Amino acid sequence: MYVVSVILIASVVTFVLRAAPFVVLKRLADSEVLREIGASMPIGVIVILVFYTLADFRLVFEDFRLGFE
């Protein structure tokens, strides 16, 4: 019985966590702030990823030796 109750509780928590964004977004559908975030967020994420990728980038070709020595 313990295992069944753990599985049931985990299932309910999973369902609630997956349904919550849809409930919240339905209530905020007409929000100007949410519309602005939705418009500007994709490019912001891309810029952050590019900077993060290039932060440790070194343009040293000796790291890419192909065995032609």
Side-chain angles (χ1 to χ4, degrees), residues 18-68:
R18 289 182 181 218
F22 296 103
V23 172
V24 171
L25 286 178
K26 188 175 184 180
R27 293 182 181 172
L28 295 175
D30 297 329
S31 171
E32 184 64 33
V33 173
L34 190 63
R35 200 173 296 123
E36 182 67 30
I37 289 173
S40 63
M41 202 57 172
I43 191 69
V45 170
I46 291 172
V47 169
I48 290 171
L49 288 174
V50 167
F51 281 127
Y52 180 77
T53 302
L54 296 177
D56 291 328
F57 183 73
R58 294 182 304 135
L59 196 58
V60 178
F61 293 107
E62 65 187 36
D63 290 342
F64 304 103
R65 292 185 194 152
L66 298 175
F68 299 115

